Amino acid sequence: MKMWAIVAGLAVLMALAGCATTSGPAMPQENLTPERQADIVKQRSQERWDALIARDYAKVYSYLSPATRAVVSQEQYAYRFSKGGFKKAEIKEVKCENDVCMVRLLLTYDFKNFKDVVAPTGEKWFFRDGQAWFHIPE
């Protein structure tokens, strides 16, 4: 009986340790309704854009999935945005289906001689292991 309790205790500790390795609020996949997914993505998308506007590329990079970060370095990713003059991002809509969310937003930025350009844009997020990750467009 004691051996069974030790094995069960170790299994619980290992499971808890595994949960501690994800960034941000992770939830079991089956508990995430499309509405809850949309709420999570809306928050994470806004946080990501706020970090881009602040030029906090380390934080922006953290919204990429671990698999993406394994093949794209933080320096490579930051370079993509280093010339951007992002000023404001306003999320208009988030729709989720089958663990994929599409975000529509209005982006305000400066481009060369043009100031305060406002353009509609979109982005894609996906859920893996209860966490929302930004999808890099091809």
Side-chain angles (χ1 to χ4, degrees):
M1 186 71 164
K2 284 185 181 182
M3 182 58 95
W4 174 250
I6 292 171
V7 171
L10 286 174
V12 169
L13 287 175
M14 288 174 58
L16 291 174
C19 292
T21 61
T22 61
S23 63
M27 297 177 70
Q29 208 82 357
E30 63 274 3
N31 292 337
L32 292 175
T33 64
E35 294 79 16
R36 180 67 181 126
Q37 287 179 330
D39 290 342
I40 291 168
V41 167
K42 182 176 183 178
Q43 178 182 341
R44 286 181 59 80
S45 179
Q46 189 65 61
E47 290 170 354
R48 181 182 166 277
W49 278 105
D50 291 346
L52 266 171
I53 292 164
R55 297 179 182 259
D56 183 350
Y57 302 122
K59 185 171 184 179
V60 173
Y61 186 72
S62 74
Y63 290 92
L64 299 177
S65 71
T68 302
R69 291 190 307 249
V71 295
V72 177
S73 74
Q74 184 174 329
E75 293 77 23
Q76 290 170 322
Y77 193 66
Y79 180 76
R80 294 177 83 177
F81 300 104
S82 62
K83 295 183 173 106
F86 302 114
K87 298 172 85 176
K88 181 181 174 186
E90 182 183 354
I91 297 175
K92 293 298 196 179
E93 180 180 42
V94 180
K95 287 187 178 180
C96 300
E97 186 176 329
N98 298 324
D99 296 329
V100 175
C101 299
M102 302 304 293
V103 179
R104 286 189 25 223
L105 58 120
L106 286 179
L107 183 60
T108 304
Y109 60 95
D110 294 340
F111 180 74
K112 297 186 180 184
N113 294 329
F114 300 98
K115 303 291 181 199
D116 296 323
V117 176
V118 178
T121 190
E123 59 187 28
K124 186 177 186 179
W125 289 72
F126 64 94
F127 278 82
R128 290 292 180 274
D129 300 322
Q131 180 62 279
W133 303 103
F134 176 71
H135 173 75
I136 297 178
E138 283 83 39

